[in-house]
Amino acid sequence: MSDQVQGGAEDDKRWAGAFRFIFAAAVINAISFGIMIPVLPNLIKEFTGGDTAAASEWNVVFGAVWGVMQLFCGPILGMMSDRYGRRPILLISIGGLAIDFLFMALAPSLMWLFVGRVINGLTAASFSTANAYVADVTPPQKRAKAFGWMGSAFSFGFIVGPVLGGFLGDIDLRLPFFVAAGLTTLNWLYGFFVLPESLTPERRVARFDWKRANPVGSLGFLRSHNDLLGLAGVGFLFQLAHTVLPSIFVLYAGYRYDWTPGMMGMAMMGTGIAGVVVQTMLVGPVVAKIGERGALLLGAAAGAVGFLIYGLASEGWMYLAGIPVFAFMNFLMPGLQGLMTRRVEPSGQGQLQGANQAMQGIASVIGPIVFGTVFAWSVRHDGQLHEPGLAIFLASGMLVGAFLLALKVGHVRKAVQAAA
């Protein structure tokens, strides 16, 4: 009995140490990403001569192109991580992001920004590969809590990144991109010299299969596992709704509340702090009490209500009052990832995350088009309609759909074990 206890303690120490490595890499990556959020739309707006509606439409183009790249490249990168390991794919992804930041820092025109977005779309797999890494090193019963912490890495980025980006953007609109490029380069060096590989050779797939490394193959993979396609549908609706704020928030807050980049950064910081509290302090005990399915349903319901508050808010303080409610949406992804990874064997975790990345790519194509177009239309007709939050109402409705679908498919099943 003592040997079993000692072995269990050693296993816990081993996976906790590996998790700390990938969490640190995710935090740095998220901060770099967060830095650009308050300033990129304003840089686009500068290139369009200050036209808010035109800037929103260009945001649509950029988001759609990035999504198309993800749709086709996400499954490839996911299967590559199953075949060659997580670490090299993370390095490719982080390197692509650093190049994108340099393009944004130096871009003399919208076309240069476009090229940078294409490069980033071709290589972006840092968070999906990090999730596969977490599944490699974390026992199934602890994955929801671990995925909550991984979500908090993104929230940490929203605490530090947008504030730093807004502050630097008030000094010079290009300065945040140089800083982000530097941080991302440091993250790449960290991954190259420090980050260990999580997928041992004996747990990797035997060969790279092009028939499965594409959007159609990803759909077949999702259909081949029990209820996995339905859960992917929940994730798709969430990802689709989640694109609304990256697509329109800066332009929306500037138009409706007359916020400066610095004020937007502070609002994002508040959102990030609330998200971190939920993801690091509440996900573990709440999932232990209500289960992964309960967390999924709670997150979908809170997101629907939070978006509704954001869309109705006619004053800036009203928007800020919705942040605590919206923060509970952070239960959704840990619950969803916990349910999905239970249905997949260790050698297929990368393909699962690649399939999720492909679904995110589809959402990234459709979301900016839908939300950016709806927002641009509502701005142009605001004199008659008086509903600049129309796009956010649409996102709220999508999460209602996610909640209803999760009721049907979100059952907890025994985890698939590695082959002996």
Side-chain angles (χ1 to χ4, degrees):
M1 178 67 71
S2 60
D3 290 341
Q4 291 178 349
V5 172
Q6 184 178 359
E10 290 177 353
D11 288 342
D12 286 348
K13 184 176 181 180
R14 189 180 302 112
W15 80 257
F19 178 79
R20 282 194 290 270
F21 276 115
I22 196 65
F23 179 76
V27 167
I28 298 172
N29 198 44
I31 291 173
S32 302
F33 182 76
I35 285 174
M36 78 167 185
I37 291 176
V39 289
L40 178 58
N42 287 316
L43 181 59
I44 296 173
K45 187 175 178 179
E46 183 179 275
F47 282 128
T48 61
D51 188 330
T52 298
S56 178
E57 290 164 348
W58 271 106
N59 256 345
V60 168
V61 174
F62 281 23
V65 168
W66 187 90
V68 169
M69 296 296 102
Q70 281 294 278
L71 173 61
F72 289 97
C73 296
I76 295 173
L77 293 170
M79 180 156 281
M80 286 177 66
S81 77
D82 283 337
R83 177 67 185 92
Y84 304 109
R86 316 301 184 203
R87 183 172 169 273
I89 305 307
L90 282 168
L91 292 175
I92 291 172
S93 179
I94 294 170
L97 184 60
I99 293 172
D100 181 27
F101 284 137
L102 285 176
F103 268 84
M104 287 188 280
L106 301 171
S109 66
L110 278 170
M111 187 52 62
W112 279 81
L113 289 179
F114 180 84
V115 172
R117 290 279 81 189
V118 169
I119 293 172
N120 180 248
L122 287 169
T123 60
S126 56
F127 281 101
S128 62
T129 307
N131 283 334
Y133 192 110
V134 170
D136 291 339
V137 302
T138 310
Q141 67 274 16
K142 296 182 179 180
R143 284 179 187 165
K145 180 179 180 180
F147 286 128
W149 274 90
M150 289 302 294
S152 77
F154 197 77
S155 296
F156 276 124
F158 265 74
I159 294 173
V160 178
V163 174
L164 182 58
F167 173 75
L168 295 173
D170 286 339
I171 299 173
D172 187 300
L173 205 55
R174 305 298 184 107
L175 183 58
F177 302 115
F178 283 111
V179 173
L183 285 175
T184 309
T185 300
L186 289 175
N187 196 20
W188 188 93
L189 293 171
Y190 172 87
F192 186 82
F193 289 108
V194 179
L195 189 68
E197 177 56 61
S198 64
L199 189 65
T200 56
E202 62 272 13
R203 299 173 69 193
R204 300 176 189 178
V205 296
R207 64 186 181 88
F208 184 90
D209 188 353
W210 282 102
K211 292 182 179 179
R212 293 190 294 169
N214 58 74
V216 176
S218 293
L219 183 62
F221 174 80
L222 294 172
R223 292 181 63 182
S224 67
H225 292 70
N226 198 0
D227 287 338
L228 200 55
L229 185 60
L231 289 171
V234 174
F236 173 75
L237 288 171
F238 166 75
Q239 294 290 356
L240 188 60
H242 201 259
T243 62
V244 65
L245 294 182
S247 297
I248 71 168
F249 170 72
V250 172
L251 299 174
Y252 173 76
Y255 177 81
R256 194 169 195 182
Y257 310 128
D258 200 28
W259 284 353
T260 65
M263 294 168 67
M264 295 174 196
M266 293 298 293
M268 292 179 188
M269 182 181 73
T271 302
I273 291 173
V276 167
V277 170
V278 171
Q279 291 157 331
T280 61
M281 299 177 65
L282 299 182
V283 167
V286 169
V287 170
K289 188 171 184 63
I290 67 175
E292 293 159 337
R293 181 174 184 263
L296 172 59
L297 293 172
L298 174 60
V305 175
F307 275 135
L308 183 63
I309 295 172
Y310 286 168
L312 290 171
S314 58
E315 302 288 340
W317 68 266
M318 297 177 183
Y319 183 99
L320 297 176
I323 290 176
V325 177
F326 188 75
F328 284 94
M329 187 175 69
N330 288 289
F331 282 107
L332 192 155
M333 283 307 294
L336 181 63
Q337 287 281 8
L339 291 172
M340 295 184 81
T341 56
R342 284 177 176 271
R343 290 163 165 79
V344 178
E345 61 280 357
S347 62
Q349 294 294 336
Q351 191 174 3
L352 169 62
Q353 299 302 333
N356 287 338
Q357 193 83 355
M359 299 294 281
Q360 182 183 356
I362 298 173
S364 297
V365 173
I366 298 173
I369 293 174
V370 171
F371 295 125
T373 302
V374 170
F375 175 66
W377 184 86
S378 64
V379 167
R380 287 198 169 107
H381 297 82
D382 194 34
Q384 301 81 34
L385 188 65
H386 304 297
E387 286 295 346
L390 187 62
I392 304 177
F393 294 148
L394 183 59
S396 177
M398 291 173 182
L399 284 179
V400 171
F403 178 89
L404 295 175
L405 182 57
L407 280 174
K408 180 179 180 181
V409 300
H411 305 291
V412 178
R413 297 187 184 276
K414 186 178 179 180
V416 176
Q417 302 297 325

